[in-house]
Amino acid sequence: MAAPAFKTMAGMKDFAKSILIFILLTLSLRVCVSTTDSEADPSGYILYCPCMGRFGNQADHFLGALGFAKGLNRTLVLPPWVEYKPGLTRSIQVPFDTYFKVEPLAKFHRVLTMHEFMDKLAPAIWPPEKRIAFCYVPRYNSEGCNAKEGNPFGPFWDTFGVDFVGSEFYRPLSYDVHYQNMDEQWNEKYPPEEWPVLAFTGAPASFPVQMDNRGLHKYLVWSENIAKKTQDFISSLPRGPFVGIHLRNGIDWERACEHVEHSPNLFAAPQCLGYRNEHGVATLELCLPSENVIVKKLKRVIKSVGAKSIFVASDNNHMTGKLTQALQKMKVSVHRLEVPEPHVDLAVLAKANHFIGNCVSSFSAFAKRARDVMGFPSSFWGFPIEKEKKKRHDRDEL
Ligand code: GFB
């Protein structure tokens, strides 16, 4: 472009002025666009604290909350993951997108991270004097939700500087938006114009995840960081098919399994036993399989897929020595992550040629769902339940 020729000083000043106006206009337009970007959703928002259990529990709840938000047609605010570190008395909050991408979720429903919500929207639509906590009934022998009482409740909301000024009990409404026009009932009782934000003390979802929400797992896509670590690890395995196994055997698990006989559908057990125990009741072998059960099942699966290696994920005892010995004749090598990372463990398990999991564990359930949505095969330790035990249960039920 040719430089303009100025006849007078005034002409040059006018030109400079018009450039300045042009720059200011462009800037103000950009400000407008970014304000529009963070414009509030007229259908409202759902916030919650994933305050129950560890990753597997929180992931079950997350899928339920996503289904619930879709049902109510409110934007879901993606909470950070709550984690517990040895030696720390308060939970730490890990941003949602540390482990998962946000964009794939947006294909299913409107979502944004909690940091984004608090930074850009909360000052206008959820100012401090309007922060009401939602719960089913009063908690901790008090009159209100006491949403910040205890760990991780307090640390979770403190991460965002949130204090509540009141409580709202939503009883008798439920989270099951797949039946009984529950979505309409919520929106009638809490219209978004009056209640732009529903902030729940715990996840608005059931545990284990409802059957209707299991398929939503396909929108959970690992972040680049987790995906890369997973790919690097899988590339380091011997060439050929591999079997992924989950051994849940820490002391907390041993204790939990002691109650299995009295809890026919403990934790995630509906994933194999059925939501109404159609496929039997939980047994100790299902919860805490013996070495014998593990080796027998593993050998059978290795043969059927022609595996060259196995990958072991565990919270405690990976049994690598025992398994290496047991699989020596089959020339199958045993592998694990050098530095344990639960999310990478899960991502590797999801990619195995076959996965054997613990039916009762919600950690296993995550890997199983991730595989189901891709059509990959999985099975469980100690399952199917022997026919005799199932028959006995069916008889007792009559
Ligand atoms: O995920 P999660 O709710 O599954 O809790 P369960 C178990 C936690 O143990 C995981 C670690 O979040 C991980 O931090 N963990 C379990 C593992 N398996 C592995 C593994 O293979 N690799 C790695 N790296 N870490 C239930 C709890 O656990 O256990 C219940 O959810 C209760 O609230 C019960 O505490 C005793 O369903 O297996």
Side-chain angles (χ1 to χ4, degrees):
M1 196 171 71
F6 299 109
K7 289 198 181 123
T8 61
M9 195 60 170
M12 200 165 91
K13 271 189 187 160
D14 282 350
F15 179 73
K17 228 198 257 165
S18 48
I19 293 278
L20 193 67
I21 289 171
F22 175 75
I23 290 171
L24 286 176
L25 270 175
T26 315
L27 277 179
S28 66
L29 199 68
R30 289 196 56 180
V31 171
C32 271
V33 171
S34 63
T35 318
T36 315
D37 278 352
S38 59
E39 235 171 40
D41 178 353
S43 302
Y45 294 82
I46 285 176
L47 259 76
Y48 74 92
C49 169
C51 278
M52 189 189 99
R54 286 168 286 168
F55 181 73
N57 282 196
Q58 293 176 39
D60 264 51
H61 268 160
F62 173 75
L63 297 183
L66 184 61
F68 180 67
K70 175 91 170 175
L72 266 58
N73 191 29
R74 283 173 175 265
T75 296
L76 179 65
V77 176
L78 304 170
W81 302 96
V82 171
E83 295 187 0
Y84 305 89
K85 299 284 172 208
L88 292 186
T89 51
R90 287 165 71 84
S91 65
I92 58 161
Q93 281 55 242
V94 179
F96 186 92
D97 51 4
T98 304
Y99 301 135
F100 297 101
K101 291 183 178 163
V102 173
E103 308 81 54
L105 287 161
K107 285 190 188 144
F108 173 69
H109 188 57
R110 301 183 306 283
V111 292
L112 85 168
T113 65
M114 187 131 172
H115 283 96
E116 253 183 290
F117 175 82
M118 291 307 297
D119 290 350
K120 296 189 188 159
L121 297 164
I125 65 162
W126 203 48
E129 67 279 10
K130 289 203 172 153
R131 294 181 180 169
I132 306 283
F134 274 63
C135 56
Y136 191 71
V137 285
R139 296 170 66 243
Y140 290 116
N141 296 328
S142 75
E143 308 264 287
C145 289
N146 248 332
K148 293 185 65 177
E149 180 72 35
N151 190 30
F153 297 89
F156 177 83
W157 296 109
D158 279 346
T159 304
F160 301 95
V162 170
D163 284 310
F164 292 97
V165 293
S167 298
E168 174 67 19
F169 310 120
Y170 58 81
R171 167 181 62 185
L173 299 182
S174 83
Y175 310 131
D176 192 355
V177 287
H178 298 286
Y179 301 98
Q180 298 173 335
N181 71 338
M182 194 45 76
D183 43 352
E184 286 168 27
Q185 293 188 49
W186 274 94
N187 287 332
E188 259 165 42
K189 189 162 181 196
Y190 301 112
E193 313 80 58
E194 271 173 60
W195 297 88
V197 176
L198 309 183
F200 290 91
T201 310
S206 49
F207 179 79
V209 60
Q210 256 185 293
M211 189 63 141
D212 308 79
N213 293 324
R214 289 178 58 90
L216 300 184
H217 198 110
K218 72 172 169 209
Y219 300 103
L220 275 178
V221 177
W222 293 113
S223 63
E224 291 298 341
N225 177 38
I226 302 286
K228 180 169 184 328
K229 286 181 178 170
T230 305
Q231 209 39 59
D232 288 351
F233 178 79
I234 292 177
S235 314
S236 74
L237 292 176
R239 280 174 76 92
F242 75 99
V243 175
I245 67 173
H246 179 214
L247 301 179
R248 181 78 167 95
N249 50 24
I251 186 71
D252 63 332
W253 196 249
E254 281 183 16
R255 293 219 178 100
C257 292
E258 284 169 11
H259 305 285
V260 79
E261 305 284 350
H262 310 289
S263 319
N265 234 346
L266 188 64
F267 302 141
Q271 67 174 325
C272 71
L273 300 177
Y275 283 74
R276 289 183 312 282
N277 283 110
E278 309 85 288
H279 307 301
V281 289
T283 60
L284 188 59
E285 210 70 278
L286 191 81
C287 196
L288 199 63
S290 61
E291 277 176 28
N292 192 27
V293 163
I294 292 171
V295 170
K296 249 164 108 178
K297 176 136 199 161
L298 192 49
K299 283 186 172 171
R300 217 177 319 130
V301 172
I302 287 173
K303 261 191 208 146
S304 76
V305 297
K308 298 284 178 252
S309 62
I310 66 161
F311 168 71
V312 189
S314 177
D315 56 310
N316 179 46
N317 181 2
H318 289 73
M319 289 176 58
T320 38
K322 287 212 170 89
L323 293 176
T324 304
Q325 209 178 5
L327 304 177
Q328 214 167 18
K329 279 197 186 135
M330 298 176 93
K331 296 201 169 66
V332 169
S333 53
V334 180
H335 306 262
R336 56 172 287 188
L337 293 184
E338 251 169 55
V339 183
E341 263 195 78
H343 306 91
V344 181
D345 267 348
L346 283 171
V348 175
L349 291 176
K351 291 203 160 185
N353 295 74
H354 188 100
F355 166 60
I356 313 174
N358 186 311
C359 170
V360 183
S361 162
S362 61
F363 192 83
S364 267
F366 187 100
K368 167 75 164 57
R369 282 192 308 267
R371 299 175 60 82
D372 285 353
V373 296
M374 312 236 277
F376 294 168
S378 307
S379 54
F380 298 103
W381 307 117
F383 187 80
I385 305 286
E386 292 159 47
K387 284 205 176 78
E388 257 323 293
K389 281 185 188 148
K390 182 172 177 328
K391 256 196 250 159
R392 217 178 307 142
H393 171 256
D394 290 348
R395 232 183 6 245
D396 293 347
E397 286 281 283
L398 290 176

